[in-house]
């Protein structure tokens, strides 16, 4: 009476592979979904948008005013699409979405400036979407400074702004061009693995009880551990295939670098996959039908996307949300992947993330096993 | 191969021997103080209406569920502590089709054979397919089979490791009459070959196929014994009535004292009572009136079960009321 029989385990494994092969739609989804998401997120999402529609209310056609506008245009953030003649027209354009920005040059701008009256240029911004508004607004100061420097030459030089009494140097590391795809693609791997691994495992296990085949299993001499491992192993393999496909495509299409330790990635990846499978197993002990399993899995995906730091900066969340986010395995895997792929991290740089995933894995597995025992009786 | 060590000596002539089995789900008692002895080499019918606790009892007897009270042995192994040994020697056919619909017939049989560690697996699966008459359809998906074929495949699957005991949970539910008859013939052949079959059913006409019968209702055993002795043991008297206008007559008879039950079987009315003298008096009065013909007959199993069922309902009502 051994507690684990390789023969029965292999039988469950072989059966699972046959079923997987026969379920073409699911199999296609397992490979298709990561690719599709990679293309969608990689090509479509840009957190630093350029060429935003802009309107101008020209109260002054002087060379200095034109120089400011020219500077804005060459920054690529602003795309001048026309003029408005009144403040009301400008407001309307912002409200109905024709423009994200309205630049108002007051009448007599250059004259007032020369006379030292410090006139104001008004930039009206549609800030209902802070991400879209943020980049251009932040860049505006520098743009105007540079534009004025060349415009205020010769006799007008006295009006040019004083340079600060020091210089500062900004060094953008790891993603110097600030490309969104470089930042989003590694994180996407964490999200995709969470999504497919959890759901496929949960559904595959619940299917046994929904179709009544669990009765065949429990009335046979097979032991729960043999079923559990035999059913999970094929999906570990699916996770491997997904990741290989994903990384290849990421490198070819988006030139996302992989600068760090492959070993660190490999260890973290395996811990993460097992954690997700355990979570899928846990869900399968709660759900009574494949439909429920799918719904509960979806329920775990939203927090993974929103609170893991995938979409929004982790540090920007309030304390309680960070606490929630810390309990999500994807949070730590995402950090690990970004560190390894973009920052050239080695195993010792990622130990903390691995430890966190391991802790979550043990907690989930313990709950899953405890619940699985109950459902047998 | 089979180790006899560890088996209790609770009489090799009994395949199953349990006493006081009780199972509760929440505060609902599904099986209540249940005793049963199943002799080896017999067909033991386990009868009762839907939801009477048959499935739960079978699961406890083969170690799939832990009883809340009572215990016993199955094939000489303790049902509480030796479920692994029991599982290896029992073929359990579930009420619902529980093989894999997305595997082929051969893959299903092969999977089950691997689960039980059957020796010479390929040959055994080939033989099972041959016996089933499905050798040429071995690559067909099990989900595409009709109800009758699914049932035959299930039986073949639970026979693949040559068990000593078959537990068949409502094997004939939803199967057409010819398939049912074939099925019972096959069970009889298997039992003649030396194995024991415990068959649960709610079809009372299948009771005649069994050597022994236990009748369970609302989790309680009402009667158990040799099939042909049961009607006599309940002590019923019965008259058969044939002729015109049986519907109206039945209504009239139900109101008569001395008559416990009136049941219609096609063109015949079975009029049954526990007090033979009272029943005979009523019967003679109606027989003289006509136009129907009255004949005194031996009550059958079905009459007995209808009687038991009515009694069980009363008992159950009493238990709720008290």
């Amino acid at each position: 009476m051994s507690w684990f029989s390789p023969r029965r385990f292999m039988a469950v494994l072989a059966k699972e592979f046959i079923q997987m092969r026969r379920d073409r739609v699911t199999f296609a989804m397992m490979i298709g979904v990561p690719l599709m998401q990679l293309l969608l997120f990689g090509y479509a999402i840009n957190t630093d948008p350029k060429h935003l529609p802009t309107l101008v209310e020209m109260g002054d056609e002087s060379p200095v005013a034109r120089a400011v506008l020219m500077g804005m245009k060459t920054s690529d953030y602003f795309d001048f699409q026309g003029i408005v003649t009144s403040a009301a027209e400008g407001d309307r354009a912002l409200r109905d979405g024709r423009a994200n920005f309205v630049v108002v040059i007051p009448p007599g701008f250059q004259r007032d400036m020369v006379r030292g009256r410090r006139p104001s240029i008004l930039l009206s911004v549609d800030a209902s979407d802070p991400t879209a508004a943020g980049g251009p607004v932040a860049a505006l100061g520098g743009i105007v400074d540079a534009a004025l420097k060349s415009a205020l030459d010769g006799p007008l030089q006295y009006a040019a702004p004083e340079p600060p009494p020091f210089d500062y140097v900004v060094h953008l590391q790891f993603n110097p061009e600030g490309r969104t795809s470089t930042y989003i693609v590694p994180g996407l791997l964490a999200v995709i693995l969470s999504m497919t691994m959890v759901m496929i495992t949960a559904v595959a296990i619940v299917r046994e009880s929904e179709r009544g085949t669990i009765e065949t299993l429990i009335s046979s001499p097979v032991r729960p551990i043999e079923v559990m491992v035999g059913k999970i192993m094929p999906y570990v393999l699916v996770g491997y295939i997904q990741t290989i496909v994903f990384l290849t495509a990421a490198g070819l299409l988006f030139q996302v670098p992989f600068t760090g330790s492959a070993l660190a990635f490999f260890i973290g990846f395996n811990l993460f996959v097992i954690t997700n499978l355990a979570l899928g197993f846990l869900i399968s002990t709660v759900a009574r039908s494949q439909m429920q399993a799918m719904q509960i899995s979806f329920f775990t995906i939203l927090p993974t996307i929103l609170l893991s730091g995938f979409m929004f900066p982790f540090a920007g969340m309030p304390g309680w949300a960070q606490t929630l986010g810390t309990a999500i395995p994807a949070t730590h895997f995402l950090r690990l992947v970004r560190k390894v792929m973009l920052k050239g991290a080695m195993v010792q740089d990622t130990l903390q993330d691995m430890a966190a995933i391991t802790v979550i894995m043990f907690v989930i597995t313990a709950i899953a096993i405890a619940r699985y025992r109950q459902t047998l009786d | 191969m089979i180790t006899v060590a560890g088996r209790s000596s609770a009489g090799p002539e009994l395949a199953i021997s349990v006493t006081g089995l009780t199972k509760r789900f929440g505060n609902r008692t599904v099986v209540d103080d249940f005793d049963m002895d199943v002799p080896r080499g017999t067909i033991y019918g386990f009868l009762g209406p839907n939801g009477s606790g048959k499935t739960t009892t079978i699961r406890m007897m083969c170690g799939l569920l832990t009883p809340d009270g009572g215990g016993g042995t199955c094939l000489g192994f303790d049902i509480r502590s030796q479920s692994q040994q029991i599982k290896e020697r029992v073929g359990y056919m579930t009420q619902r089709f529980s093989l894999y619909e997305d595997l082929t017939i051969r893959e299903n049989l092969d999977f089950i054979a691997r689960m039980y560690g059957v020796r010479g697996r390929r040959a055994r699966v080939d033989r099972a397919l041959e016996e089933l008459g499905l050798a040429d359809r071995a690559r067909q998906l099990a989900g595409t089979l009709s109800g009758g074929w699914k049932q035959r495949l299930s039986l073949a699957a639970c026979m693949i490791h040559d068990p000593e005991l078959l537990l068949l949970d409502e094997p004939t539910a939803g199967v057409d009459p010819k398939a049912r008859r074939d099925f019972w013939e096959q069970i009889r052949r298997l039992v003649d070959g030396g194995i024991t079959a415990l068959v649960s059913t709610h079809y009372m006409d299948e009771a005649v196929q069994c050597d022994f019968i236990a009748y369970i209702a609302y989790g309680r055993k009402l009667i158990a014994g040799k099939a042909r002795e049961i009607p006599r043991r309940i002590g019923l008297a019965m008259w058969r009535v044939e002729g015109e206008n049986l519907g109206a007559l039945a209504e009239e008879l139900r109101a008569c004292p001395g008559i416990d039950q009136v049941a219609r079987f096609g063109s015949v009315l079975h009029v049954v009572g526990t007090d033979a003298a009272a029943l005979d008096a009523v019967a003679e009065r109606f027989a003289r009136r006509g136009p129907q013909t009255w004949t005194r007959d031996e009550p059958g199993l079905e009459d007995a079960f209808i009687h038991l069922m009515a009694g069980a309902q009363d008992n159950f009502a009493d238990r709720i009321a008290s």
Side-chain angles (χ1 to χ4, degrees), chain A residues 278-299:
Chain A
L279 182 60
F281 211 96
L282 176 61
I283 290 174
S284 77
T285 63
V286 182
R288 276 148 194 251
S289 66
Q290 295 187 62
M291 183 60 92
Q292 277 186 7
M294 208 135 33
Q295 284 170 340
I296 301 174
S297 306
F298 267 123
F299 179 74

Side-chain angles (χ1 to χ4, degrees), chain A residues 33-334:
Chain A
V33 164
L35 271 182
M36 213 180 65
Q37 304 235 14
L38 177 66
L39 294 179
L40 261 179
F41 279 77
Y43 281 120
I45 293 185
N46 184 2
T47 52
D48 186 22
K50 304 260 166 92
H51 304 289
L52 297 164
T54 307
L55 297 175
V56 191
E57 190 184 330
M58 285 296 266
D60 183 44
E61 307 241 353
S62 65
V64 175
R66 285 183 173 278
V68 170
L69 293 180
M70 233 14 231
M72 289 172 72
K73 191 175 152 85
T74 47
S75 74
D76 276 352
Y77 278 118
F78 305 95
D79 195 5
F80 291 107
Q81 299 199 327
I83 56 165
V84 289
T85 51
S86 68
E89 198 184 338
D91 282 346
R92 210 163 44 242
L94 287 180
R95 194 170 298 119
D96 66 21
R98 262 191 304 133
N100 283 35
F101 300 99
V102 176
V103 185
V104 182
I105 311 277
F109 170 72
Q110 183 176 331
R111 189 190 60 223
D112 288 353
M113 191 185 75
V114 170
R115 290 179 186 167
R117 285 192 195 150
R118 300 195 63 79
S120 306
I121 296 177
L122 172 68
L123 183 68
S124 269
V125 184
D126 172 6
S128 62
D129 180 350
T131 314
V137 170
L140 192 65
I143 294 166
V144 173
D145 277 358
L148 284 180
K149 205 173 271 175
S150 52
L152 299 178
D153 226 352
L156 287 177
Q157 203 167 8
Y158 70 93
E162 288 278 314
F166 59 89
D167 281 335
Y168 52 87
V169 178
V170 177
H171 182 191
L172 296 175
Q173 291 201 79
F174 312 127
N175 184 11
E177 294 160 70
R179 280 181 18 198
T180 308
S181 60
T182 302
Y183 148 83
I184 223 137
V185 164
L188 193 57
L189 180 64
V191 171
I192 288 174
L193 282 176
S194 307
M195 217 156 99
T196 47
M197 293 286 95
V198 172
M199 196 189 316
I200 291 171
T201 322
V203 167
I205 296 168
V206 171
R207 191 165 54 202
E208 298 269 359
S209 47
E210 191 180 293
R211 294 194 186 164
T213 49
I214 191 82
E215 292 201 49
T216 299
L217 290 178
I218 60 174
S219 64
S220 82
V222 73
R223 291 176 184 274
I225 183 84
E226 293 155 3
V227 178
M228 194 161 161
V229 181
K231 284 193 77 75
I232 274 180
M233 282 305 281
Y235 298 106
V236 174
L237 191 80
V238 169
Y240 274 78
I241 298 174
Q242 279 187 336
T243 307
I244 291 168
V245 170
F246 186 89
L247 288 180
T248 311
L252 290 178
L253 297 175
F254 299 106
Q255 289 82 44
V256 177
F258 193 110
T259 55
S261 151
L263 179 67
F265 180 84
F266 187 72
I267 299 172
F269 166 77
N270 282 301
L271 287 172
F272 183 62
V273 165
I274 295 169
T275 308
N276 279 324
L277 297 175
L279 182 60
F281 211 96
L282 176 61
I283 290 174
S284 77
T285 63
V286 182
R288 276 148 194 251
S289 66
Q290 295 187 62
M291 183 60 92
Q292 277 186 7
M294 208 135 33
Q295 284 170 340
I296 301 174
S297 306
F298 267 123
F299 179 74
T300 67
I301 285 163
L302 213 55
T304 299
I305 292 177
L306 298 179
L307 301 182
S308 66
F310 167 66
M311 286 252 101
F312 310 108
F314 193 82
M317 301 193 299
W320 60 266
Q322 290 196 7
T323 310
L324 273 181
T326 310
I328 297 172
T331 305
H332 307 282
F333 182 60
L334 187 134

Side-chain angles (χ1 to χ4, degrees), chain A residues 8 12 208-209 212-228 372-377, chain B residues 55 58-60 62-66 83-88 90-92 94 98 100 111-112 115-116:
Chain A
R8 290 193 296 254
V12 176
E208 298 269 359
S209 47
T213 49
I214 191 82
E215 292 201 49
T216 299
L217 290 178
I218 60 174
S219 64
S220 82
V222 73
R223 291 176 184 274
I225 183 84
E226 293 155 3
V227 178
M228 194 161 161
Y372 186 66
R373 291 226 173 107
Q374 285 168 13
T375 54
L376 269 182
D377 216 300
Chain B
T55 302
I58 290 180
R59 286 182 176 173
M60 283 192 286
C62 62
L64 296 185
L65 279 177
T66 318
S83 68
Q84 195 70 11
Q85 286 92 328
I86 296 173
K87 283 176 182 177
E88 284 166 10
V90 166
Y92 176 41
T94 52
S98 61
Y100 294 90
F111 175 67
I112 304 295
M115 287 284 107
Y116 286 92

